[in-house]
Amino acid sequence: MAAHRKPRSAPLGRPAARTAATLALASAATATLFEGSGHADPTGPRRTPAQVRTEVDRLYQEAEVATERYNGAKERADAARVSYDRLRDEAARRTERLNTARQSLGAVAAAQYRSGGLDPALQLALTADPDDYLERAALAQKAGDRQAAAVTAVRREIAGLAQLRAESADRLTALRGHEAELRRQKATVLDKLAAARRLLARLTAEERARYEAAVAARATPTTPATAGTSGTAAGGGAAARADRSSGARGTGAGSGATPASASAPATGRASAALSFARAQLGKPYVWGATGPSAYDCSGLTQAAWRAAGVSLPRTTYTQINAGRRVSRSELAPGDLVFFYSGISHVGLYIGGGQMIHAPRPGAPVRIAPIDEMPFAGATRVA
C-alpha cells in the first residue's frame, strides 16, 4: 500500500504535479478569456465607452432588422385577418341562402304530399271536370320544375359553403402562423432593445454624455448638436439650414453620392412627400409605429408618400421594389434611400447627400447624411 501512496505526495517539480499546475493555469486562463469575451454578457464591465457605442449600434441595427420583419408579419397577419373575416361573412350569407332554399324545397314537398299519389291518367279518368284537372296538372308540372330548381339551389349552396369553410380553415391556419411570427419578432426586438438599455445604464454620467455627443454628431453637419434632439420647430430649422447649405456641401470624399449642385428641387408628389417628412422632424422613433405621433423608418417613408397620394408597402424590403431603382449618382429629392445588406433601414432623400429618417430608439426623426450607414440602394417612387 505504501508503494501506491508515493506518487500522490510527489513534490511540485515532478511530472504529475506539473501537469496539475498546468491544467489549473489553463483553466484560469480560459475562465478569464470567456469572462472578457464578447456576447455572453452584454453588460460586462470591461467595455470602454467606444465599445459600448459599437455594441449598442449593433443591437439597435439588429432590432431594426427584427422590426421590419415584425412589420412584414403584421402586414400579412392583417391581410389574413381581413380575408378570414370576409370568408366568414360570406359563409354566413351562404348559410342563410341554404336555409331559404331548404324551406322552399320543403314547401314544394309538402304540397305534393297533400295532392295525393294517384296515377295522373286515373285522376283524369275519375275527375268530373277534365278542364279543371288539366289546369291543376299544369300547375303541378310547374311545381315540379320549382322543386328541381330548389334541389339544384340547395346542392349549389351546400357545395359553395363547404368550399368556403375549407378556405376559412386555411386562412385561419395562416393567420395563426403570422401571429406566431409577430410574437417571435416582437420578443426579438424587445430583447435587443433591453440589452442596449442595460449597456447604456452601465455608463457613468460623463461617459453617457460623450456617447450622446457622438450619436448627435451623426446628424446633419449643418446642425450637429441639435438636429434630431430638439422639437419639431427646431428640426424644421435644421431642415431649412440644410437646404440653404446644400448648394455648397457634398457628402464627403469618395462617398459616390450625388453632389448637392446636381440635385434639382423636388417637385410634384416628391415635394409633397418631403413637406410631410419635414413636418415630422423631432417626433420620436417607436418601433412598429406609422404615425402620426411616432414612426419607425419605413413607417415614416410610407406616411410621407401617403400624404403625397402614393401607397407604399409597409416594410423596407418591399418598399425598395415599389418604384424604379436609381443609382446613387442619380439621386433626386424624394427618392427612397436604403441601407445595410438586408435592406433594414430607409430614409427620404432631400438632396445634398442628406436624408430625413427615423433613426432608432432615442434618436427622433431628423436630417442626417446618407453616409452615416452602409448604402444599399435607392428607389424613385414617382
Side-chain angles (χ1 to χ4, degrees):
M1 295 295 290
H4 293 290
R5 292 193 191 98
K6 284 182 180 180
R8 298 181 183 176
S9 59
L12 286 176
R14 294 187 179 181
R18 284 200 303 271
T19 300
T22 301
L23 289 172
L25 288 171
S27 176
T30 301
T32 302
L33 175 63
F34 281 108
E35 186 179 55
S37 65
H39 309 299
D41 178 13
T43 61
R46 294 182 179 274
R47 285 182 172 82
T48 66
Q51 290 172 326
V52 167
R53 175 182 164 186
T54 298
E55 183 69 4
V56 168
D57 285 349
R58 182 186 68 81
L59 288 167
Y60 279 145
Q61 203 273 321
E62 290 176 355
E64 192 163 49
V65 171
T67 295
E68 290 304 312
R69 289 174 180 164
Y70 171 90
N71 291 339
K74 187 175 187 304
E75 190 174 46
R76 291 188 293 273
D78 289 345
R81 188 175 292 108
V82 169
S83 180
Y84 175 65
D85 289 343
R86 179 184 58 79
L87 288 171
R88 285 201 309 171
D89 291 344
E90 179 63 21
R93 288 191 292 271
R94 287 287 185 95
T95 299
E96 185 175 355
R97 288 203 298 267
L98 175 61
N99 291 336
T100 300
R102 281 173 169 166
Q103 289 171 1
S104 175
L105 183 59
V108 172
Q112 282 188 334
Y113 176 79
R114 287 194 299 271
S115 68
L118 285 177
D119 179 82
L122 183 59
Q123 290 184 43
L124 178 60
L126 295 176
T127 185
D129 188 350
D131 291 336
D132 178 65
Y133 171 76
L134 291 173
E135 181 179 351
R136 284 189 288 110
L139 292 175
Q141 178 64 41
K142 290 180 181 179
D145 293 341
R146 287 198 303 272
Q147 182 182 26
V151 169
T152 300
V154 167
R155 287 175 175 168
R156 184 172 58 248
E157 295 300 339
I158 288 175
L161 191 56
Q163 182 177 356
L164 277 174
R165 285 172 176 167
E167 290 179 14
S168 296
D170 291 342
R171 194 67 58 179
L172 182 59
T173 299
L175 174 59
R176 287 172 175 168
H178 297 320
E179 289 174 339
E181 177 66 10
L182 270 178
R183 290 190 292 271
R184 286 194 296 272
Q185 297 303 335
K186 180 178 180 180
T188 300
V189 172
L190 296 179
D191 179 65
K192 301 294 183 182
L193 296 181
R197 284 194 297 270
R198 288 195 297 270
L199 275 170
L200 293 173
R202 296 180 69 86
L203 295 176
T204 66
E206 182 181 354
E207 290 171 339
R208 183 63 180 264
R210 289 202 301 270
Y211 169 82
E212 296 294 346
V215 170
R218 298 178 180 180
T220 174
T222 57
T223 53
T226 59
T229 59
S230 56
T232 304
R241 288 191 293 275
D243 288 344
R244 286 196 298 271
S245 67
S246 64
R249 186 182 301 275
T251 58
S255 68
T258 304
S261 59
S263 294
T267 58
R269 290 181 174 179
S271 178
L274 286 174
S275 295
F276 179 92
R278 282 196 171 93
Q280 313 314 307
L281 287 167
K283 291 186 178 181
Y285 176 103
V286 174
W287 70 273
T290 58
S293 58
Y295 299 91
D296 63 18
C297 68
S298 56
L300 174 64
T301 52
Q302 183 187 50
W305 274 102
R306 185 189 303 118
V310 177
S311 178
L312 289 183
R314 177 64 181 93
T315 64
T316 54
Y317 50 84
T318 51
Q319 286 183 7
I320 197 171
N321 296 316
R324 179 174 66 85
R325 296 286 188 95
V326 293
S327 68
R328 186 164 175 159
S329 62
E330 296 174 306
L331 285 176
D335 289 346
L336 300 176
V337 283
F338 299 88
F339 303 91
Y340 299 104
S341 60
I343 317 297
S344 59
H345 190 78
V346 62
L348 196 64
Y349 189 67
I350 63 174
Q354 298 184 67
M355 64 179 170
I356 297 174
H357 72 143
R360 59 172 180 73
V365 176
R366 66 188 184 190
I367 296 173
I370 63 173
D371 282 339
E372 76 172 12
M373 290 173 287
F375 186 82
T379 291
R380 185 158 301 156
V381 177

